[in-house]
């Protein structure tokens, strides 16, 4: 990702941050609409799950310039999802769900340039969750 794309993602996330609970809520609404079978996989405290999701997104967004840290975060995501054997279809669903959730929260502020930058950022991290 270039500096401009990174700035774009970080600035739009700064706007979303105050509404991160809503972002997580919308993410799972979209994910379960695309993958109804995924709902049953979440056995723990779902409120905590939403906090962990936004904490992970915040950590990734904050470290887009830092390839090393981003790689470590990617490894953590592989570990926590390893038992699920996620494939490309599922990571693609996650990517689309996050973009859709951002659109729900940001409205027209998620312009095409910002959306494309988010697509690149998510691709960097989500790509690593797929089974190898
Ligand atoms: C944008 C993509 C995603 C991100 C950033 C993400 C992030 C996370 C995080 C941070 C955790 C908590 C890990 C911990 O316990 O420390 C987690 C757990 C989990 N994720 Fe994801 N996830 C993503 C996509 C998916 C997808 C596509 C699925 C499956 C359909 C999925 C299913 C799960 C499940 C089942 C758990 C464990 C929940 C439990 O034990 O109750 N995730 N995820």
């Amino acid at each position: 990702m270039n500096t401009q794309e990174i700035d774009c993602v970080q600035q739009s996330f700064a706007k979303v941050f105050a509404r991160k609970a809503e972002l997580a809520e919308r993410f799972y609404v979209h994910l379960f609409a695309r993958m109804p079978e995924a709902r049953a996989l979440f056995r723990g405290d779902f409120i905590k799950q939403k906090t962990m999701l936004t904490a992970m997104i915040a950590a990734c967004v904050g470290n887009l310039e830092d390839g090393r840290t981003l790689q470590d975060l990617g490894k953590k995501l592989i570990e926590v999802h390893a038992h699920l054997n996620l494939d490309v279809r599922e990571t693609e669903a996650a990517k689309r769900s996050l973009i859709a959730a951002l659109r729900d929260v940001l409205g027209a502020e998620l312009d095409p340039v910002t959306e494309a930058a988010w697509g690149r950022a998510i691709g960097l991290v989500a790509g690593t969750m797929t089974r190898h």
Side-chain angles (χ1 to χ4, degrees), residues 35 38 41-44 49 52 76-77 80-81 84 90:
M35 297 176 55
L41 301 173
F42 293 88
R43 304 230 176 100
Q49 177 65 33
M52 290 193 289
K76 172 144 200 253
L77 278 172
V80 300
H81 296 98
L84 301 171
E90 286 146 343

Side-chain angles (χ1 to χ4, degrees), residues 27-28 31 35 38 41-45 49 52-53 56-57 76-77 80-81 83-84 86 90-91 93-95 98 122 125-126 129:
F27 172 78
Y28 288 112
L31 188 69
M35 297 176 55
L41 301 173
F42 293 88
R43 304 230 176 100
D45 176 345
Q49 177 65 33
M52 290 193 289
L53 173 84
M56 175 55 84
I57 296 171
K76 172 144 200 253
L77 278 172
V80 300
H81 296 98
H83 64 294
L84 301 171
L86 298 183
E90 286 146 343
T91 48
K95 182 174 170 172
L98 186 49
I122 300 165
V125 182
M129 292 194 314

Side-chain angles (χ1 to χ4, degrees), residues 9-132:
V9 169
Q10 290 179 339
Q11 280 170 24
S12 65
F13 191 66
K15 291 178 200 153
V16 170
F17 195 73
R19 292 166 67 191
K20 54 187 191 303
E22 191 184 341
L23 181 74
E25 182 73 42
R26 298 306 303 162
F27 172 78
Y28 288 112
V29 166
H30 288 292
L31 188 69
F32 297 153
R34 286 173 168 80
M35 297 176 55
E37 70 280 12
R39 192 186 289 269
L41 301 173
F42 293 88
R43 304 230 176 100
D45 176 345
F46 203 60
I47 293 176
K48 191 169 159 221
Q49 177 65 33
K50 287 192 243 179
T51 312
M52 290 193 289
L53 173 84
T54 47
M56 175 55 84
I57 296 171
C60 291
V61 167
N63 284 291
L64 288 173
E65 296 104 331
D66 180 352
R68 186 89 187 254
T69 304
L70 209 56
Q71 216 174 13
D72 288 344
L73 291 166
K75 269 191 212 151
K76 172 144 200 253
L77 278 172
I78 295 176
E79 279 166 28
V80 300
H81 296 98
H83 64 294
L84 301 171
N85 266 330
L86 298 183
D87 62 20
V88 181
R89 187 185 80 85
E90 286 146 343
T91 48
E92 193 55 34
K95 182 174 170 172
R96 286 171 195 274
S97 300
L98 186 49
I99 296 278
L102 286 164
R103 188 172 304 116
D104 290 342
V105 177
L106 285 171
E109 282 187 85
L110 188 72
D111 57 61
V113 172
T114 309
E115 183 174 328
W118 270 97
R120 299 253 296 152
I122 300 165
L124 272 184
V125 182
T128 63
M129 292 194 314
T130 312
R131 136 181 87 201
H132 295 286

